[in-house]
Amino acid sequence: MTLDSTRLQRLQQTPLWDFALTLYAKPGVEAACLTLQDDAGLDVCEVLFHCWLYSSGLEAIPAALKREREQRRLWQCNVTAVLRGLRRDLKAMAATSESVKALRSTIKQAELMAERENLQRWQMWALEASDNKERVANVAEKTSDASKWLRKQLVISPHDSLSENRLKQLPTWLKSLQTLTCQLDPYQGAR
C-alpha cells in the first residue's frame, strides 16, 4: 500500500513533543503512562511515539523499528532512567532540605530534557527516512479497539522482554493502554 501523503503531512505538522505534552495532560494519561513505565517496563517515549503515528493514521514498520527501538532503549536506560533514579532517591531528603529540594528540581528538569531529546530522536527517525528505506506506513488494519493496535506495536514477538502472554496476565496494563488510547482521536483529518 502506498503511503498516504496527507497522513505524512499531518504528522510533519505536529511535532512529537507538542503532541506528547497535549496527550499527557489529558485525563488519566499521566497515571496510565506511569503504570506502563513502572509496572510494565515500557518506554513511555515509545508509547507516545506510536500514539503520535496512530493519530495520523500511520504505524511504524516493524522491521525498520527494531534497530531504532534498541537505540532509544539504550538512551532511556543510560540517561533518562539514571536521572529518574536520582530524582526518586532524593525525594525523602528533599522534604527536609531546601538545597536537596533545589538539586532534585534541577535533576527533574534534566530528566524532562532527556525525555524530550528521546522524543525528538523518535520523530527524526520517522520523518527523515530516505525514499528506499520507508519507516512508516498507513495503519494496516482499522480497529475499533486502539489499545489492541497499540499493544501490537509494543509487543512484536513472543521473544521480546514483554511477551503477549505476560501482558495478558496483567489486566492493569491493558486498562492503562485503553485509558491512553481512549484519549486519541484517530485519523484526524487524514481519512
Side-chain angles (χ1 to χ4, degrees):
M1 177 184 283
T2 305
L3 185 62
D4 183 333
S5 62
T6 304
R7 294 178 186 194
L8 188 59
Q9 184 179 35
R10 173 162 173 67
L11 194 70
Q12 292 167 337
Q13 292 173 350
T14 308
L16 177 52
W17 176 250
D18 294 344
F19 172 87
L21 289 176
T22 300
L23 180 62
Y24 203 79
K26 291 186 177 184
V29 171
E30 179 181 359
C33 285
L34 293 176
T35 295
L36 293 170
Q37 172 186 282
D38 295 340
D39 298 344
L42 292 177
D43 174 1
V44 170
C45 289
E46 183 179 354
V47 171
L48 294 169
F49 167 72
H50 288 292
C51 290
W52 176 63
L53 292 176
Y54 182 79
S55 71
S56 292
L58 299 170
E59 63 187 357
I61 297 171
L65 181 64
K66 187 176 181 178
R67 183 176 182 280
E68 189 62 18
R69 175 180 276 149
E70 182 57 31
Q71 292 300 310
R72 299 299 92 243
R73 284 188 180 162
L74 285 172
W75 176 268
Q76 288 296 85
C77 289
N78 295 330
V79 179
T80 310
V82 172
L83 293 167
R84 183 176 298 120
L86 288 170
R87 178 181 54 81
R88 288 177 174 175
D89 288 348
L90 293 173
K91 187 174 184 176
M93 286 189 290
T96 60
S97 169
E98 286 301 315
S99 60
V100 174
K101 183 177 180 180
L103 174 60
R104 186 172 183 268
S105 178
T106 300
I107 292 169
K108 185 176 182 178
Q109 287 302 313
E111 180 186 354
L112 188 61
M113 289 173 63
E115 288 181 335
R116 184 176 188 164
E117 177 63 26
N118 200 22
L119 288 170
Q120 288 174 332
R121 290 177 184 204
W122 273 116
Q123 178 177 317
M124 286 188 321
W125 176 82
L127 297 178
E128 296 179 7
S130 61
D131 290 339
N132 61 346
K133 293 186 179 179
E134 261 185 19
R135 296 174 178 172
V136 297
N138 300 331
V139 171
E141 57 187 67
K142 292 183 181 179
T143 177
S144 60
D145 186 351
S147 66
K148 287 182 182 177
W149 176 88
L150 183 56
R151 184 177 67 199
K152 180 180 166 194
Q153 300 306 302
L154 296 167
V155 184
I156 302 303
S157 75
H159 305 294
D160 284 349
S161 60
L162 180 63
S163 71
E164 184 73 19
N165 289 335
R166 188 170 164 215
L167 188 59
K168 284 181 181 176
Q169 292 172 357
L170 296 165
T172 304
W173 300 356
L174 294 174
K175 184 178 182 216
S176 293
L177 288 173
Q178 289 171 340
T179 298
L180 185 64
T181 56
C182 283
Q183 296 297 337
L184 295 176
D185 184 7
Y187 312 101
Q188 313 170 23
R191 307 241 179 235

